Every structure is written in structure tokens, then in C-alpha cells.
Amino acid sequence: MSDLFSKLQPNNGYVIAEIACGHEGDPTKLKKLIDCVVDSECQIIKFQIFKTFERAIKGHKEWDIFSKLELSDNDWKKYIAYAKNKGLSVFADLYGHDSFSLAKKLNIDGYKIHSEDLLNTQFILEVCKSKKIVMIGVGGARRKEIIEIVNKIISHAPHSKIVLMTGVQAFPTPIDAHSINEVSDLISKYEKYNVKVGFSDHVDGDLKEAFILPIMAFSAGAGVIQKHITLNRKDKWIDYHSALSFNDFKVFIQQIKLLCGLLHNIGSMNDYEKSYRKMFKKSPAFSNNFDKDHVLQNKDIVYVKDAENSIPVASHTLIGKKINTSVSKNQLIKLNTLSPKIGAVIVARCASLRLPNKALIKINGRES
């Protein structure tokens, strides 16, 4: 997907289908989830690519958990190629140099650095120099830490494609632990550096707010939303807590496409607005019979509905105008019933380099 970074605008409604560890270390489940994302017409999918030693210490319970979820390099090669062949852009969470090295070999389209590595400056700079989109998790980060890493990136990896991702994961995260204002606040601070802001939604997938919060984030200016997906929440696969079941996810994507289109820049009137204007706008009419040369006053003008005509003229532009023919009560005031006041606009070029303001210079002491 060419120049995806520039397209990350609220009105485009880009959603990242977050797989996380929802495959449970099973390539067959991974393929099913990829197919679900393709069928939903979501455009971006994200995986967590990691080596167990990057996420846990041997002998601790986390080691037992992540070692069962780790997929082989060959599995990742096979199914990332599968996702790309299906037309998806593929992003990956990185947890260290080994996962980054693998992701580069697999030609991943974009990366995400977990907020646990926000202080790992050298690693972040290394990833940013890839010139790919880099999403940086800022959940639980202090503002000082965010500005410091952004300044480092600007200084040492200019032209990086950075997206600051808000949100924390609490399996699931309570609604009041999300912040929509954080999105707009970060945009106001970092947009000038060409840094975009995204929203990581981790609300309970059974709640109606799982549909509402992301739309609120887009309305606040988020350029991209991260949303977890699972095959069926009732199966309780790993990381299902904030995930939508496939059928709900598909409806969610349809809603995003429909509603985010309303966030486009204001332009000319659409056909519905033009029709509405023609149907409901009142037109000016004469409040009484008047003879030719009568000068209109405020009391001479009323506004009426007319089934055939819609004359968009404001009353203040009519006051003081002279009528050029006899008119009847309730007759629509059209411009051809008024004596026009003719004026002229003189345009003069004053930006000459050889003779600045030459149009204003007097000739023989007289205004020219």
C-alpha cells in the first residue's frame, strides 16, 4: 500500500486488526484469523513477532506462557506471505533486536514498539531508520518521556514515519481508563513534527462502547485505530478480552467506513444540501403594491415560500434599492425589478521590481 502514512487521516478510517497472541501458537488458528480479517475488508493486520527470551525470563511463569505462543520463523514466513497475497498490509509488534531482524527479512510494512520499550532509545532509533511506519506505544508514559523520544527521533532519524499510539491493556481495560482527549492533546503537540496519533482500544468486546470509543477517537483526530479480533469470543482464545468476534468485527469495519467518511474536509454543497436549500429557503417579496422609483425600506420586504422559485437574497442587500417598475403585493423581489447600482473595481499591479508601486505614482503632479 503506497504512501500509507500520508493516508492515515481520520476520514479514511484505517483500522489495524490486532491478532496479538490470539493464534495461541497454532498456525492453523493464525490462518483462520487472517481469513477473518480479509473477509472483514479491513486493510491492515498486526502480529506479535517475538522470541520468548525477549519477553520473559527463563524459570518464571511468563516463560511458560510465551514459549507456548511463539511461532517458528518458517511459520511467520509462510503466513505473512499468505496475508500479503490476500492484499493486507502487515504490521508487527517488536520486542527486541531478534524480532526486528526477522521482521525485516519478512518485509513487514510497519512496526510497533510496545510502551515497555519506550525508554530503549537506541532500539527505537534503529527501527525508525528503517523508513517504515513506526507506531510507538505511549500508554503509561510521562509527557517528558514522550517529548524526549520524539526529539531524539527528529534529531537522529529525520523523516521518520511516527505514530504515537495511546491506550493501555488491562484485560480488558475499563472504559474510564481510556482517554479521548489524550488523542487531541498529542495531536496539538506533535502534529507540527509530522507525527501522527493513533488509538489502541482495549475495552471489553462485549460492550457497546467497543464500537463507540474508536469512532470517538477518529472524531478527535486519530489517524488509525487498533482493534483486537478473535474468531468467537465464546471460545476464549488468548487475548480475547478486548477482541470482537469475527461477525462483530465485520460490522465494526462497515460502521467505520460509513461514519469516518463524515470527517472529510468541508467542501461545496452536496446534492442533498442543494435540494434541502431549494425546498425550504424562503424568498423575498414585496409587502404591498409599489409604484416605479419607490425606494425599498425594511417594512417593504417580507419572506415567503414559493413552490417554483428560490431566490437567495438577504433583506439587508435590498434595503435602499429603487424599484424600476410597478410591483404587486407578494410578488417575488427579483433583481430585474430593481435599478442596479453600477460600480467599478480597478485592479492595479504594484509589485514591479523595477518600479515598485508604479500605479500609484503621480504623473506631472497629478494622480494617474
Side-chain angles (χ1 to χ4, degrees):
M1 193 178 297
S2 62
D3 197 24
L4 175 59
F5 183 72
S6 66
K7 297 176 182 177
L8 297 181
Q9 302 291 340
N11 60 296
N12 291 327
Y14 277 101
V15 175
I16 297 172
E18 173 61 72
I19 303 301
C21 292
H23 50 73
E24 299 191 321
D26 182 346
T28 302
K29 290 183 178 179
L30 178 62
K31 181 178 181 298
K32 289 181 178 179
L33 289 169
I34 294 172
D35 289 337
C36 285
V37 176
V38 173
D39 289 344
S40 75
E41 299 184 0
C42 183
Q43 297 170 290
I44 309 173
I45 192 169
K46 184 162 73 68
F47 306 115
Q48 291 184 358
I49 297 179
F50 62 88
K51 302 297 181 182
T52 302
F53 65 81
E54 292 178 321
R55 304 197 67 179
I57 299 173
K58 198 165 186 175
H60 287 239
K61 64 178 181 178
E62 287 84 2
W63 183 275
D64 295 332
I65 294 172
F66 286 116
S67 61
K68 295 175 183 177
L69 300 174
E70 182 181 339
L71 293 169
S72 70
D73 291 4
N74 285 334
D75 284 334
W76 281 126
K77 181 179 180 180
K78 177 179 179 180
Y79 288 105
I80 286 174
Y82 178 76
K84 282 178 169 284
N85 287 335
K86 290 287 186 175
L88 294 174
S89 291
V90 179
F91 282 40
D93 285 280
L94 306 177
Y95 295 89
H97 294 283
D98 286 77
S99 54
F100 180 40
S101 177
L102 175 59
K104 285 192 292 185
K105 292 177 183 177
L106 299 174
N107 194 28
I108 295 294
D109 298 301
Y111 306 113
K112 183 181 179 185
I113 297 173
H114 195 280
S115 59
E116 68 184 31
D117 272 314
L118 184 63
L119 303 181
N120 192 347
T121 306
Q122 296 310 311
F123 178 58
I124 293 176
L125 293 178
E126 181 184 349
V127 177
C128 287
K129 289 176 182 178
S130 68
K131 298 183 179 179
K132 301 284 184 76
I133 293 175
V134 180
M135 301 188 298
I136 301 176
V138 295
R142 299 187 185 281
R143 290 297 178 261
K144 178 176 180 291
E145 295 168 343
I146 298 174
I147 188 60
E148 285 180 351
I149 192 60
V150 170
N151 283 336
K152 284 291 184 182
I153 293 170
I154 293 171
S155 299
H156 299 281
H159 311 300
S160 295
K161 301 174 181 178
I162 302 301
V163 183
L164 301 178
M165 297 295 294
T166 67
V168 296
Q169 173 64 289
F171 304 101
T173 305
I175 293 172
D176 60 3
H178 292 79
S179 175
I180 300 299
N181 281 342
E182 183 179 15
V183 173
S184 52
D185 179 66
L186 290 174
I187 291 172
S188 68
K189 289 180 171 65
Y190 298 105
E191 186 177 33
K192 59 187 175 184
Y193 302 115
N194 197 32
V195 172
K196 297 183 183 293
V197 178
F199 182 76
S200 298
D201 167 29
H202 294 114
V203 72
D204 189 329
D206 284 330
L207 299 178
K208 63 180 181 299
E209 286 80 7
F211 281 72
I212 297 171
L213 276 181
I215 294 172
M216 292 177 66
F218 276 126
S219 296
V224 64
I225 295 296
Q226 178 179 295
K227 190 73 170 177
H228 285 252
I229 181 174
T230 188
L231 194 64
N232 190 325
R233 285 180 56 80
K234 293 180 179 178
D235 295 334
K236 296 187 177 182
W237 287 4
I238 296 291
D239 287 331
Y240 83 96
H241 306 82
S242 56
L244 294 178
S245 295
F246 164 61
N247 289 332
D248 286 338
F249 189 86
K250 191 170 185 178
V251 173
F252 172 74
I253 294 298
Q254 292 171 348
Q255 287 291 299
I256 290 296
K257 288 183 177 181
L258 174 65
L259 297 176
C260 281
L262 307 181
L263 299 174
H264 58 74
N265 292 329
I266 299 173
S268 58
M269 286 189 185
N270 59 44
D271 291 340
Y272 296 98
E273 290 173 314
K274 292 175 182 176
S275 176
Y276 178 87
R277 178 181 177 85
K278 184 176 181 180
M279 185 182 302
F280 291 105
K281 284 288 185 286
K282 292 182 178 180
S283 299
F286 297 106
S287 64
N288 216 323
N289 299 329
F290 295 110
D291 295 327
K292 180 183 177 181
D293 293 332
H294 176 77
V295 177
L296 287 176
Q297 302 178 45
N298 187 53
K299 63 181 182 179
D300 300 332
I301 304 168
V302 294
Y303 274 76
V304 299
K305 297 292 286 291
D306 187 279
E308 301 297 328
N309 298 284
S310 176
I311 303 174
V313 179
S315 60
H316 68 268
T317 65
L318 300 174
I319 296 172
K321 295 288 194 302
K322 184 184 291 186
I323 301 171
N324 62 19
T325 185
S326 297
V327 296
S328 304
K329 181 178 181 179
N330 291 330
Q331 178 182 334
L332 292 184
I333 302 177
K334 298 182 179 180
L335 295 181
N336 61 8
T337 62
L338 305 175
S339 298
K341 291 184 178 180
I342 299 173
V345 177
I346 300 173
V347 180
R349 179 172 174 265
C350 296
S352 172
L353 296 178
R354 291 180 298 173
L355 187 59
N357 295 320
K358 62 181 180 181
L360 304 179
I361 297 175
K362 293 181 179 181
I363 299 176
N364 288 332
R366 298 180 62 183
E367 301 290 349
S368 59

